[in-house]
Amino acid sequence: MKQNSLKKHKKDWVAVLLLLLFTTLLFIKVSGILQARLTVPLLYLGHDSKLLGATLKTMLENTWYGPNAMLGAPLGTNLYDFPSYGDTFFYLCLKGLLLVFGNIGAAFNVAYYGVVILSALSMYFVLRNLTVRPWVAVLGGIIYTFAPYRFLHGTSHFFLICYFFLPLVTLFYLWLLQDDSFLRIQKGFFRYRRNIFGIAILMLFAISGIYYAYFGCFFFIVTLLVLFLRAPNKWQATKTLVGKAVVFFSCIAMPLLLAYLPTFFYLANNGANALAPNRSVAEASIYGLRLASLFIPPQGYNIPFFTKLGSQYQTITLAEQTEYLGLFAMVGFVLLLAFLLVTQKPKWIQQEKDWAVVKFLSQLNIVAILLGVVTGFGTMVSWLITPQIRAYTRISIFIAGFSIIALCVCINAALPSVTNKGRAAKGVLAVVLCALFGLSVAEPLTYQGIGQQEAAHYSADRDFIQTVEANVAPGSMVLQFPYVNFPENPPVYEMKDYELFRGYLHSSTLRWSYGAYKGRPSAVALETLQAKPTQQMLQQAAASGFTVLYIDKRGYEPAHFEQFIFEIEQITGAAPLISWDETLYVYNIKEYAETTRAALGQKKCEDIYNTLFGVVPVAAGTSNPRITDASSLLCNAEGNINFYNSTNSPITIQYSFHIHNNSTHASAITFTEPEGQAQTHNLSSTPGTVSGTLTLAPGNNLLHWQTSAPGLEDTDYRFILYDFTCSF
C-alpha cells in the first residue's frame, strides 16, 4: 500500500517538475525576458500598462495605491475613486514584491512569471483531483496558462490575466455537486478540510478581480439550482442549499467589504465623484460575448488562413476581441455543446464520475454563453440592476477553463490504462509534442514580449528623465501638456491614454501635474489653467509655483505644436530638452517664474494661486461636474457645489452666478450653505442672479441645492447655471 502511494506521489512530482520546466521555457520565449534586464518591466510598452506602472510606483513610494502627492501637482491625487478594491489580493502581492525588490520592473516581472506558474499549477491540481493522469494534467496546465486570453489582454490588463483561481472555483462547483458535506453548515464544519480549503480560496478569489467574483457567484447560483432540481426532497434541499449560499456569499462579501473600507472613508470625507468610472447600459452589448469570436483568432498567427480570417472579422466587430479559445479549448467547447444533446453516457467514457463531470461542465458552459452573449442575460442585468459590469467578453476565460477540463477528462477516459514503461514514455512524449505543436502553430505566442529594442527605449526614457532632474531643482512642479482627463480618456491626436505617466515612471524628485483625478478639485483647477491663452497660462502657472513644462508632441497637430512651443520660447526665453525620440519637450522656466513672481508680488501670486488651487468649486450631482470661469452647466434636481479649500486656513469668498429654468413652468430652488443657512430663489426662463459670501473651512465645503423644477424628457436636466465667478 505504501509502495503504491509512494509510486503515485513520485509520478506527480515528476509531472509537476516537467510542468514547471515547460511553463518556464515557454514564458521565457513569450516574454523575451532574457533579451532585456530583469528590472525592465514587461508592462512598459502597453499604454494601459503605464497606469499599472504608476500605481506600482505609488505603492513603492507610499503605503498604498490611493494618495500620491507626486501626481496631480500641486494638490496631489488619490486613486480611490477608481474601483480597484476588487483587485486587493493582487495589490497585496505586488506590495510584498515591491518591498522585496524595491523596483517596479523586477516586482512586476516576477509577478507576471508567478501568475503564469500559478495558472498552470492550479489547472494541474484540479485535473489530478478529478483523477486525470499526470501527463494529461500537464497538458491541461500548459494549455490553460498559455490560453490566447492571456496574450490578447497582455500586460495592459494584467489583473485580468491573473485567472489562476478560476479552475479551483470550478472544482468547488463539482465538489458541491458530488459532496453533500462541502460548505454544509453542520457540526464539525471546520474539521472538514475541504471546507477550510474552500473558504480560504473563496475569500482570496473575492478580491482577485470583480469580474471573476461576479461570474463566480453566477455559476454558484446555477450549481445550487442544479442541486435543487435533482433533489427528491425539495424542502430539505432548500434548507441545506440556503446554508451553503450563506457560507459562499459570506466568503465573497466579507473580503470585498474590508477591501472597500479605504475607498469608503475617502468618499465619506470627499464626497462621491460624478466623473468616477460610470458605465452605460449599451456597453454590455458593445462589450458582450460574440460566439464567432470564440473561434476566429484576431491576428498574429502562423497559419495564413487564420490571419486572413481574423483580419476580415476584425473589420466587422467593435468588441475587445479577446474571446478566442485556441485550438484545444475549441475542441473541448464543441464537445461540451455536443454533450448537451447526449442523454446517456458514451461507451468510451467508462467511469460514471467522468461522465457526471463533463455533463455538468456542459451545463455551466451553456449558461456562461447565455450570460455573456450580446443581448443575453448580462444585458438584462445591466439594464435592470447595474451597468457597472459591462465587459462580458471576459467570461470567455471561464468557458476556456470548462472546455480544457472537459477535453482533458475525455482524453483521460479514452486512453487505455498504461502499465508498461515503454507505453508510458510514448504517452508522455505524445502529450509533450501535442502541447508544443498546438502552442507553436495555433496559439498566439507572439502577442506579448519585450526585446532589445523595447529595453533600449526604456533605458533611453530613464536617461532622459534623469537628465531633466539633473537640470532642475528637486521637488520642482512639472506642468504637463496637453491636458488630458485621468483616467480613461480617448487618444489625443497621436498620444494614447496614460502616456503622460512616461515621465513619472522614471522620476524620483519631481512633482507631476498629470494624474489628477477628473471631477476632483486638482483636475478642475489644472484644466482651467491650461485652457487659458498661453501668456496668461504661463504667468499664472509661474505664480502658482510651476517651474518646469513637459510637452508631449504626439498630443498636438504639427502646426498647433509648432505655434505652442514658439509662444513658450518667446515668452519664457527657455530652450527645450528634447527626448531621444523627439516626442517630449521639457522646458526649465525657473528664471521666468522667478521674474514673474517678483513682478507680481507675493500678495498677487497668493491671490492667483488661491483662485486656481486654493478654492476650487466643483459641481457634484450634475451632468457635467465642472465649474470654470464663464461656464455653463445643466443641473439635476439635487446636487452640490463643493468649494474645496486646499489651504490650512479658513478663506472667505464671494460667489455669484446666473441661473434660469430650462422649462416654462415656474419653480423654485433652495441653496443650503455649509453652515446650514438656506436661501430660496424663484426660477423661470428669465435668468436670475444668485450670490453670497462663504467662509470656507479647510477641505470640502458643500453648497447644496434642491429644486422643484420639472425635468426634461429623458435627460432629467432641471436648470442651467452659468457665468460662475468666485473672488476673494
Side-chain angles (χ1 to χ4, degrees):
M1 191 72 176
K2 290 184 179 180
Q3 289 181 347
N4 291 336
S5 178
L6 290 172
K7 185 177 181 181
K8 182 179 179 181
H9 188 67
K10 181 179 179 181
K11 286 183 178 180
D12 272 314
W13 275 111
V14 172
V16 168
L17 289 174
L18 280 175
L19 177 63
L20 294 176
L21 175 63
F22 281 117
T23 302
T24 301
L25 292 175
L26 285 170
F27 167 77
I28 292 171
K29 176 185 182 299
V30 170
S31 66
I33 192 69
L34 295 183
Q35 300 178 52
R37 293 189 303 274
L38 178 63
T39 54
V40 177
L42 293 170
L43 59 78
Y44 187 68
L45 296 177
H47 60 279
D48 276 3
S49 303
K50 287 186 173 63
L51 171 60
L52 177 57
T55 306
L56 293 181
K57 194 168 186 292
T58 298
M59 288 201 297
L60 178 64
E61 298 171 347
N62 302 276
T63 305
W64 200 229
Y65 66 78
N68 188 342
M70 305 302 282
L71 293 172
L75 302 183
T77 193
N78 199 310
L79 296 182
Y80 284 142
D81 276 326
F82 204 85
S84 299
Y85 52 89
D87 299 311
T88 297
F89 174 69
F90 303 135
Y91 282 122
L92 288 170
C93 294
L94 288 165
K95 179 67 176 181
L97 291 172
L98 288 167
L99 292 174
V100 171
F101 292 101
N103 178 279
I104 65 171
F108 179 82
N109 292 346
V110 171
Y112 190 97
Y113 172 67
V115 165
V116 170
I117 292 296
L118 286 174
S119 299
L121 291 176
S122 173
M123 180 57 79
Y124 179 87
F125 172 81
V126 169
L127 291 172
R128 288 296 292 136
N129 195 274
L130 298 176
T131 66
V132 171
R133 291 176 177 82
W135 320 119
V136 179
V138 168
L139 171 65
I142 293 173
I143 297 302
Y144 180 70
T145 199
F146 291 105
Y149 184 91
R150 180 179 303 283
F151 305 105
L152 293 168
H153 278 287
T155 55
S156 291
H157 292 156
F158 173 68
F159 293 153
L160 289 179
I161 64 175
C162 299
Y163 50 72
F164 48 83
F165 281 121
L166 274 54
L168 296 174
V169 176
T170 302
L171 180 62
F172 294 168
Y173 304 143
L174 292 167
W175 282 352
L176 285 167
L177 209 66
Q178 301 165 353
D179 184 354
D180 185 60
S181 297
F182 182 56
L183 298 187
R184 182 172 184 172
I185 299 177
Q186 59 184 346
K187 187 176 180 180
F189 178 88
F190 290 105
R191 290 199 295 270
Y192 189 40
R193 291 184 179 180
R194 276 191 177 180
N195 288 338
I196 302 298
F197 178 67
I199 288 173
I201 295 299
L202 286 174
M203 295 185 76
L204 296 178
F205 174 67
I207 50 176
S208 300
I210 199 69
Y211 272 95
Y212 297 153
Y214 166 67
F215 294 146
C217 290
F218 174 78
F219 292 126
F220 173 76
I221 293 172
V222 171
T223 304
L224 293 190
L225 180 60
V226 171
L227 286 169
F228 177 78
L229 294 175
R230 289 183 180 183
N233 187 330
K234 304 300 183 186
W235 172 245
Q236 183 62 40
T238 299
K239 292 191 295 183
T240 301
L241 297 179
V242 167
K244 293 189 177 188
V246 169
V247 174
F248 182 92
F249 287 111
S250 297
C251 292
I252 297 294
M254 285 190 295
L256 274 174
L257 290 174
L258 289 174
Y260 182 71
L261 283 179
T263 300
F264 172 81
F265 288 119
Y266 171 75
L267 295 178
N269 291 327
N270 296 276
N273 186 347
L275 283 189
N278 193 21
R279 313 308 186 191
S280 69
V281 173
E283 290 181 90
S285 293
I286 295 172
Y287 298 103
L289 179 72
R290 288 161 171 79
L291 289 179
S293 297
L294 297 173
F295 296 90
I296 301 176
Q299 59 179 348
Y301 282 79
N302 296 327
I303 300 177
F305 173 75
F306 278 177
T307 301
K308 181 179 179 181
L309 191 65
S311 178
Q312 292 174 344
Y313 182 67
Q314 191 169 5
T315 63
I316 63 173
T317 179
L318 299 176
E320 281 188 343
Q321 298 187 56
T322 56
E323 304 101 307
Y324 177 63
L325 294 176
L327 180 64
F328 293 96
M330 276 196 292
V331 175
F333 179 78
V334 172
L335 280 172
L336 290 178
L337 292 180
F339 287 144
L340 283 173
L341 306 176
V342 178
T343 57
Q344 294 188 359
K345 179 176 69 68
K347 292 182 179 180
W348 54 273
I349 299 181
Q350 299 179 4
Q351 300 290 331
E352 285 290 343
K353 63 179 182 61
D354 291 339
W355 173 240
V357 167
V358 295
K359 190 66 176 177
F360 177 63
L361 290 176
S362 72
Q363 295 167 342
L364 291 183
N365 185 58
I366 195 63
V367 295
I369 294 171
L370 293 175
L371 176 67
V373 72
V374 176
T375 69
F377 291 143
T379 301
M380 296 172 65
V381 170
S382 181
W383 176 39
L384 298 174
I385 301 176
T386 175
Q388 291 301 101
I389 300 293
R390 58 168 183 166
Y392 283 89
T393 55
R394 296 167 186 177
I395 204 170
S396 62
I397 190 59
F398 274 94
I399 294 174
F402 299 155
S403 301
I404 291 169
I405 293 173
L407 180 62
C408 289
V409 170
C410 289
I411 291 174
N412 186 75
L415 285 176
S417 177
V418 178
T419 56
N420 182 275
K421 289 185 178 180
R423 291 175 65 186
K426 291 177 182 178
V428 173
L429 181 61
V431 167
V432 171
L433 291 176
C434 185
L436 293 178
F437 170 78
L439 290 171
S440 63
V441 176
E443 309 291 2
L445 290 185
T446 59
Y447 271 107
Q448 189 61 48
I450 186 166
Q452 293 179 347
Q453 182 179 6
E454 290 80 6
H457 291 179
Y458 178 86
S459 299
D461 281 352
R462 180 200 59 205
D463 294 343
F464 174 68
I465 297 302
Q466 288 180 352
T467 301
V468 170
E469 290 189 326
N471 284 273
V472 301
S476 297
M477 289 200 302
V478 183
L479 187 59
Q480 294 176 267
F481 298 89
Y483 177 81
V484 177
N485 276 328
F486 169 82
E488 296 184 341
N489 197 77
V492 178
Y493 198 59
E494 295 180 348
M495 186 182 73
K496 296 179 180 179
D497 201 11
Y498 306 124
E499 284 297 316
L500 288 176
F501 277 136
R502 187 175 166 189
Y504 170 69
L505 288 174
H506 298 281
S507 170
S508 57
T509 63
L510 302 180
R511 298 172 63 194
W512 303 81
S513 66
Y514 180 66
Y517 208 105
K518 59 186 178 184
R520 291 301 183 187
S522 184
V524 172
L526 287 165
E527 185 175 11
T528 302
L529 172 63
Q530 295 193 34
K532 298 178 183 294
T534 304
Q535 185 162 359
Q536 184 183 7
M537 178 271 295
L538 289 173
Q539 181 191 65
Q540 294 189 6
S544 299
F546 288 98
T547 57
V548 182
L549 306 178
Y550 172 107
I551 307 167
D552 195 317
K553 180 180 180 179
R554 296 167 296 177
Y556 296 88
E557 294 182 359
H560 186 188
F561 173 75
E562 294 297 333
Q563 177 64 26
F564 186 44
I565 63 170
F566 173 77
E567 292 173 353
I568 288 174
E569 292 171 8
Q570 286 290 105
I571 295 169
T572 66
L577 287 171
I578 303 176
S579 65
W580 60 275
D581 60 353
E582 299 184 353
T583 60
L584 303 180
Y585 283 58
V586 179
Y587 292 87
N588 182 355
I589 61 167
K590 182 179 179 182
E591 291 185 9
Y592 165 79
E594 291 175 346
T595 302
T596 300
R597 292 177 66 84
L600 292 172
Q602 182 177 351
K603 178 64 170 60
K604 181 63 174 177
C605 288
E606 288 177 356
D607 287 345
I608 290 174
Y609 179 87
N610 284 337
T611 301
L612 284 169
F613 300 103
V615 175
V616 185
V618 182
T622 70
S623 62
N624 184 1
R626 179 177 53 172
I627 296 179
T628 59
D629 293 343
S631 69
S632 63
L633 285 90
L634 291 171
C635 301
N636 301 124
E638 187 172 4
N640 303 291
I641 301 174
N642 176 21
F643 292 90
Y644 179 77
N645 179 1
S646 69
T647 70
N648 295 322
S649 304
I651 295 179
T652 300
I653 66 165
Q654 291 80 41
Y655 68 88
S656 176
F657 54 84
H658 293 98
I659 189 168
H660 70 81
N661 194 352
N662 218 353
S663 167
T664 58
H665 297 277
S667 54
I669 183 170
T670 299
F671 288 92
T672 304
E673 298 178 358
E675 296 180 355
Q677 300 91 339
Q679 52 176 310
T680 300
H681 304 266
N682 292 324
L683 278 174
S684 67
S685 57
T686 302
T689 301
V690 176
S691 60
T693 300
L694 291 177
T695 299
L696 307 177
N700 297 299
N701 300 264
L702 298 182
L703 178 65
H704 180 77
W705 75 69
Q706 190 166 8
T707 181
S708 60
L712 299 180
E713 186 178 357
D714 297 330
T715 59
D716 194 37
Y717 300 149
R718 309 287 175 126
F719 58 92
I720 291 180
L721 175 154
Y722 64 102
D723 289 343
F724 186 92
T725 60
C726 174
S727 58
F728 300 89

